[in-house]
Amino acid sequence: MRAAARPDLAAIWRRVEELSERRGQDPAEVLAPERLSHLCGVDPLRIPAVVAGTAAELPLERRVHERFLRLRATRRDAHGREWPLAAIASDFDAPGASLGPLNAGAGLPRLGHAAGVQRFFGVYAGFLLADHRSAVERALVLASDSAQGALGAEGGAHGTEDLEHLSYLTGIPPQAIRLTLDGAPPRLPLREQVRQRFAHLRRTRPREDGQPHSLAAIAKSFDASGQSLTRLAQGEGLPNLAAAAGIQRFYGVESGFLLADDTEALATALTGIARELESAEREQENPMLAVMRSHDVRSIVTRAGRLSARGWKSLAAHLDDLLAREGQLGRPAGTDEGNAP
C-alpha cells in the first residue's frame, strides 16, 4: 500500500480500544501483542514500535524467514508438535529439503512454495511478504471487526457492488467474480493466475500518459532488470518472491495481490468497500446522533431515567457546573459580565 494511502495505526489502535470498551471487552486482551502477532506474524515485541511508527523495516529475506518460523511455532499439529518440513512441502508436491533454506534463513523460497506454505497454515496470501506496517494494519482491522461484530454484516455487501469495480480491486475478471460469489470460484494454475493479475495491474494502473508502465520501470523500483519480468509477462514462469513483493509495492496493492485465490481476494475487496461505506455513512449522519453515539448518551439517559424529580434537578445543576468549568455554558441574554450567574 502506498504510504500516502495508509491509515494512522495509532488512530486505529485507539478506535479498537473504544470499541472494545463499548462492548464490555478488555482492550488489553483484544489488543494483546501475542494475539496481534498471531494474526500478522510480526514479533510481539516489535508491535508497539510499529504502531508508533518507530520500527525499522526488516530486509525481505529475514522477514520471510521469521514469519515462517512463527507459523511453525504457533500453528502446530494435533499433538502440539511443529509440523515437519516434509509434511508442509508435501502439501504442494515439493520435497521437504526445498524448505530447508527458508527454515534456516539462508534464502527465499520460490513463489509457488511461499503460496503453498501460506495455504498449508491457512493464513492470508500476503502473510510472508507483507511489510510490518501492512501486516499490523491488517491485524488491527481484524481486531476492530471482532470488537464491533461487523464481519457478519459485511457478508451481504457484495450484492450491490459493481463487478467492474470489484474486478479493478482484485484483478479477477467479472465473470469469475460472479462464479466466486456463487460459491464456485474457478481454479487457475498459480502461474496463470499470477500472469493474469500482473497483466491486470499494468492495464488498469497506467502511467499519466495512459500507457502501461514498462517492465524496466517496474523492475527498477526493486533494483532488478526489466528482463527479469519478461517471462512473467509472457506467462512462461513465476517471478521470484522478491520480484512479487516489488511488483505489489510498485502498484500499491495488498501484499498478497498476486497470490491470493479468488475467494480471498474478493473477500478483502468487499471488506474494504464495506468499511468505506460505513465511514461515509457515519460522516453523513445527523450531527446530534453522532455526538450522542460518541458520548454514549443512550447509556446515560437509560440510567438517568430512574432518577426522581429531585435527582433530575441535581443532575441538571451538575451539568451546568461542568459546562461552566469547560467554558461551554453560554450566558442568558440580557446578562452582563458582572451579573452573569
Side-chain angles (χ1 to χ4, degrees):
M1 185 183 295
R2 295 191 188 281
R6 282 182 156 160
D8 182 345
L9 285 187
I12 300 176
W13 186 282
R14 291 191 298 270
R15 171 167 167 71
V16 175
E17 286 182 325
E18 293 169 1
L19 288 168
S20 302
E21 291 174 349
R22 197 177 302 170
R23 292 178 58 85
Q25 297 174 274
D26 183 359
E29 291 183 5
V30 175
L31 291 167
E34 283 293 344
R35 178 172 185 258
L36 294 177
S37 176
H38 186 81
L39 293 170
C40 67
V42 177
D43 188 306
L45 297 178
R46 291 177 60 84
I47 285 179
V50 174
V51 173
T54 59
E57 192 54 66
L58 297 178
L60 180 65
E61 185 171 314
R62 181 180 167 192
R63 187 166 77 226
V64 172
H65 166 61
E66 290 187 0
R67 300 266 173 91
F68 179 65
L69 294 185
R70 189 148 197 87
L71 281 175
R72 296 189 70 202
T74 59
R75 292 161 172 83
R76 297 171 179 259
D77 66 15
H79 304 289
R81 297 188 293 258
E82 287 190 353
W83 286 97
L85 297 183
I88 301 169
S90 67
D91 193 59
F92 48 91
D93 301 322
S98 65
L99 295 180
L102 169 62
N103 193 62
L108 288 169
R110 293 164 55 184
L111 190 66
H113 291 180
V117 167
Q118 291 168 158
R119 191 166 53 246
F120 179 87
F121 285 107
V123 293
Y124 72 97
F127 188 95
L128 292 176
L129 285 178
D131 61 60
H132 282 347
R133 184 175 172 85
S134 295
V136 173
E137 279 172 12
R138 188 181 182 102
L140 286 175
V141 167
L142 289 174
S144 174
D145 287 338
S146 174
Q148 63 182 331
L151 286 179
E154 288 172 358
H158 63 72
T160 59
E161 298 306 332
D162 179 74
L163 293 184
E164 290 294 338
H165 182 53
L166 287 175
S167 178
Y168 175 84
L169 293 173
T170 63
I172 306 171
Q175 181 57 31
I177 288 178
R178 175 54 62 196
L179 291 172
T180 303
L181 294 176
D182 290 340
R187 310 301 293 182
L188 289 177
L190 183 64
R191 177 183 297 182
E192 178 59 17
Q193 173 187 300
V194 173
R195 184 198 68 77
Q196 286 188 11
R197 299 267 173 94
F198 181 51
H200 173 84
L201 285 174
R202 296 189 70 204
R203 183 176 67 255
T204 61
R205 292 155 174 84
R207 302 181 312 206
E208 291 183 0
D209 62 3
Q211 296 299 310
H213 289 280
S214 67
L215 298 181
I218 300 168
K220 184 180 178 182
S221 70
F222 51 90
D223 299 323
S225 67
Q227 291 180 337
S228 65
L229 298 181
T230 301
R231 295 185 68 236
L232 167 61
Q234 295 174 347
E236 297 175 356
L238 287 168
N240 61 38
L241 208 60
I247 290 167
Q248 292 165 157
R249 189 166 54 247
F250 179 86
Y251 282 106
V253 293
E254 280 243 341
S255 56
F257 188 94
L258 295 176
L259 289 180
D261 62 35
D262 287 357
T263 300
E264 182 181 356
L266 194 54
T268 299
L270 288 170
T271 299
I273 290 171
R275 194 167 293 112
E276 289 176 7
L277 292 174
E278 289 170 358
S279 177
E281 186 177 27
R282 282 195 297 271
E283 291 175 1
Q284 294 173 3
E285 71 180 354
N286 185 308
M288 182 59 71
L289 290 178
V291 171
M292 291 177 67
R293 182 174 289 110
S294 65
H295 293 284
D296 200 13
V297 172
R298 180 181 298 176
S299 173
I300 295 171
V301 171
T302 299
R303 285 176 287 164
R306 298 195 294 268
L307 292 173
S308 64
R310 182 177 179 182
W312 270 104
K313 190 173 182 179
S314 175
L315 177 61
H318 186 57
L319 286 173
D320 282 348
D321 182 48
L322 287 175
L323 289 169
R325 290 182 203 174
E326 296 182 3
Q328 302 297 322
L329 186 63
R331 290 189 296 275
T335 60
D336 58 27
E337 192 73 33
N339 296 327

